[in-house]
């Protein structure tokens, strides 16, 4: 018996990086998966990845923008229509935004990052939590960041949004615990995904590889995390191995956020 046999796991940002790796992981453990992303190409690649690892699971892909309320209602509705329940929700889609000092950040960019990284997470919670409350069970994992528990610099929008995700997580966790629903967050450090590759290009457009090597020296492990190292923890938080973990924010960062 696998941990996710017969369960439905809904994943935003499922077309790439952490979302895609988590889809593969939970599908390997028996889950049917719903993948949501703005990128149709990413969704198709993720579908192939999942099916090559777990040919017998059912997959639904939904193209949607998590910052748009109608799209969120659409992906939740499509999930319910196909599977009739949501056992786990990895509320994960996000962007980094343009790096800049606060005084140069611009309100437009600030609002853009908040719309996806914070409102997108709220809208997902707003529409999924009543379903889980009705079921009397369910586990949500929101994606925060080390940038949601520490200052990083040059990331006003990202920092505000990810600190906000931590707040939403604690707030919803204490609201829904009595209904058998858990809401936790992960705070990943630097995990090698297309987003972090893009970040290194922002830091040093001419030599992103050098920027990447320097950046990771601050980490106690002296290496980047890999998406599967996030997926295993997200799977744990969505499984019955973590039934007393609620409203928690878990760093997955090789110890970086503990460092003085
Ligand atoms: N990689 C890291 O080091 C790291 C660290 C901390 C937090 N995070 C967070 O993890 C999450 C996933 O990041 P990743 O590293 O896998 O990045 P990624 O770029 O590989 O994947 C993000 C996915 O989200 C999708 N997406 C972007 N905007 C969207 C929108 N409006 N609606 C729907 N989908 C959208 C993208 O198309 C992409 O497929 C993000 O919330 C990110 O902030 C990543």
């Amino acid at each position: 018996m696998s941990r996710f046999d017969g369960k439905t796991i809904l994943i935003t940002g499922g077309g790439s990086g952490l979302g895609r790796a988590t889809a593969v992981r939970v599908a390997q453990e028996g889950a049917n998966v719903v993948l949501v992303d703005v990128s149709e190409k990413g969704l198709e690649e993720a579908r192939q990845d999942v099916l090559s690892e777990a040919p017998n699971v059912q997959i639904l892909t939904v193209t949607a923008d998590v910052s748009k309320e109608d799209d969120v209602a659409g992906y939740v509705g499509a999930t319910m229509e196909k599977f009739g329940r949501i056992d786990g929700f990895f509320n994960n889609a996000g962007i980094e935004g343009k790096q800049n000092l606060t005084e140069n950040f611009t309100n437009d960019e600030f609002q853009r990052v908040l719309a996806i990284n914070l409102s997108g997470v709220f809208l997902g919670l707003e529409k999924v939590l009543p379903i889980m409350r009705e079921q009397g069970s369910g586990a949500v994992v929101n994606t925060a960041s080390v940038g949601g528990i520490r200052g990083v610099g040059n990331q006003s929008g990202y920092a505000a949004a990810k600190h906000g995700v931590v707040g939403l997580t604690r707030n919803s966790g204490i609201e829904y615990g009595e209904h058998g629903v858990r809401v936790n967050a992960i705070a990943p450090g630097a995990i090698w995904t297309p987003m972090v590759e893009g970040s290194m290009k922002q830091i040093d457009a001419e030599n992103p590889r050098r920027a990447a090597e320097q950046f990771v020296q601050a980490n106690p492990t002296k290496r980047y995390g890999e998406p599967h190292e996030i997926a295993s923890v997200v799977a744990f938080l969505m499984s019955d191995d973590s039934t007393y973990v609620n409203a928690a924010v878990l760093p997955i960062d090789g110890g970086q956020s503990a460092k003085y």
Side-chain angles (χ1 to χ4, degrees):
M1 177 79 180
S2 300
R3 286 191 297 184
F4 296 104
D5 270 349
K7 298 204 165 170
T8 303
I9 304 293
L10 171 60
I11 299 174
T12 67
S16 179
L18 310 186
R20 194 195 292 193
T22 299
V24 169
R25 174 66 194 240
V26 296
Q28 283 171 329
E29 295 194 51
N32 295 319
V33 291
V34 181
L35 305 181
V36 177
D37 209 290
V38 277
S39 165
E40 283 181 28
K41 182 170 172 283
L43 285 173
E44 193 41 44
E45 289 170 4
R47 178 202 294 276
Q48 298 305 330
D49 278 5
V50 170
L51 285 177
S52 72
E53 293 297 324
N56 296 326
V57 302
Q58 296 184 64
I59 307 182
L60 174 67
T61 57
V62 184
T63 308
D65 180 340
V66 298
S67 68
K68 295 188 176 144
E69 193 166 359
D70 287 350
D71 283 20
V72 177
Y75 79 65
V76 173
T79 304
M80 291 305 285
E81 197 171 307
K82 183 160 176 70
F83 294 112
R85 56 185 297 112
I86 302 172
D87 299 291
F89 176 35
F90 187 26
N91 200 3
N92 162 74
I95 58 169
E96 186 194 18
K98 291 199 185 82
Q99 294 189 17
N100 234 325
L101 275 183
T102 306
E103 67 195 54
N104 299 324
F105 200 78
T106 79
N107 189 35
D108 281 353
E109 182 65 358
F110 187 72
Q111 299 303 336
R112 184 177 79 93
V113 177
L114 251 65
I116 296 170
N117 291 10
L118 185 57
S119 297
V121 169
F122 167 73
L123 291 169
L125 290 169
E126 183 196 29
K127 297 195 170 26
V128 169
L129 284 171
I131 292 166
M132 291 183 166
R133 179 169 51 72
E134 184 78 10
Q135 292 171 177
S137 67
V140 178
V141 179
N142 295 323
T143 301
S145 170
V146 166
I149 56 175
R150 296 283 182 268
V152 176
N154 286 323
Q155 294 189 342
S156 296
Y158 194 82
K162 294 298 187 181
H163 277 75
V165 169
V166 168
L168 286 176
T169 301
R170 293 186 177 130
N171 182 69
S172 299
I174 63 160
E175 286 176 349
Y176 286 81
E178 68 181 292
H179 302 295
V181 177
R182 300 180 292 110
V183 184
N184 293 297
I186 54 165
I191 315 301
W192 197 253
T193 67
M195 191 181 93
V196 165
E197 245 180 298
S199 179
M200 294 307 140
K201 285 182 191 146
Q202 290 206 60
I203 291 170
D204 186 346
E206 280 169 19
N207 199 341
R209 184 183 290 263
R210 182 178 58 199
E213 280 164 12
Q214 280 172 0
F215 189 84
V216 84
Q217 288 316 307
N219 192 287
T221 65
K222 309 286 183 210
R223 69 170 177 88
Y224 286 87
E226 295 179 28
H228 73 85
E229 295 177 295
I230 302 297
S232 58
V233 179
V234 176
F236 165 74
L237 289 172
M238 291 195 296
S239 79
D240 287 346
D241 286 335
S242 60
T243 43
Y244 208 51
V245 183
N246 184 31
V249 180
L250 187 55
I252 316 172
D253 65 351
Q256 187 155 3
S257 61
K259 212 170 154 186
Y260 178 70

